[in-house]
Amino acid sequence: QAEEELQAACARQALQLQEMGRRERLRRAEVGRAKEQLESFKTRVLCVCSPAGVAGTAVTEQQVIEKVRQILEESQQSHEREKRLQEELSSWLLKEKEVSKNVEVFKKSLHALQ
C-alpha cells in the first residue's frame, strides 16, 4: 500500500512537473513575442520621428527614449505657446469690446450734438 501511495505521489509530481514545463514554455514564448513587439514599436516610433535617419540601422532604446523626450518637450512648448496666444487673444477681445463701447458712446454724443 505504501508503495502504491509513493507511485501515485510520484505520478502526481511527474504531472506537475510536465505542467510546469508547459507553463515555462508558454511564458518563454510570451516573452519572445513581447520582445518582438517592443522592437517593432521602437522601430516604428523612430521611423515616425525621423524617417530618413533609420534606414537599415538598428534602433536603440536610448534613441527611442531621447526622441520621445524631445517630442514631449516640443509638445509642452506648443501648449505653453498656445496658452500665451489664448491669453493675448482674450486681451485683444476685451480691448476690442472696450473700443466698441467707446465708439458707441462717441456716436451717441455725435448724434446728440447734431
Side-chain angles (χ1 to χ4, degrees):
Q1 185 179 1
E3 187 178 331
E4 288 175 9
E5 288 176 5
L6 281 174
Q7 285 178 346
C10 200
R12 281 193 304 274
Q13 286 183 345
L15 287 173
Q16 286 177 343
L17 188 59
Q18 285 178 344
E19 179 63 18
M20 287 173 61
R22 185 185 70 80
R23 287 182 184 172
E24 182 181 357
R25 286 189 301 278
L26 285 173
R27 297 296 179 256
R28 287 181 190 269
E30 289 173 5
V31 167
R33 282 192 300 275
K35 284 181 180 180
E36 289 171 4
Q37 288 174 343
L38 176 61
E39 286 302 316
S40 172
F41 176 73
K42 288 189 319 187
T43 302
R44 285 184 288 154
V45 167
L46 211 56
C47 284
V48 166
C49 296
S50 59
V54 186
T57 61
V59 178
T60 67
E61 288 182 31
Q62 191 60 37
Q63 286 174 306
V64 172
I65 290 169
E66 288 302 317
K67 195 51 116 170
V68 168
R69 198 173 281 149
Q70 177 186 353
I71 290 170
L72 287 173
E73 186 176 309
E74 289 171 0
S75 174
Q76 183 179 6
Q77 290 171 354
S78 293
H79 286 297
E80 290 171 1
R81 183 169 184 262
E82 179 184 3
K83 184 179 176 182
R84 282 193 313 272
L85 291 172
Q86 285 287 0
E87 290 170 355
E88 286 180 27
L89 180 61
S90 295
S91 174
W92 288 342
L93 289 173
L94 284 174
K95 287 178 184 176
E96 183 182 358
K97 278 185 179 180
E98 187 178 323
V99 168
S100 293
K101 285 181 186 178
N102 290 339
V103 166
E104 287 301 316
V105 168
F106 180 72
K107 282 182 181 178
K108 286 179 184 177
S109 297
L110 186 60
H111 284 292
L113 288 173
Q114 287 177 347

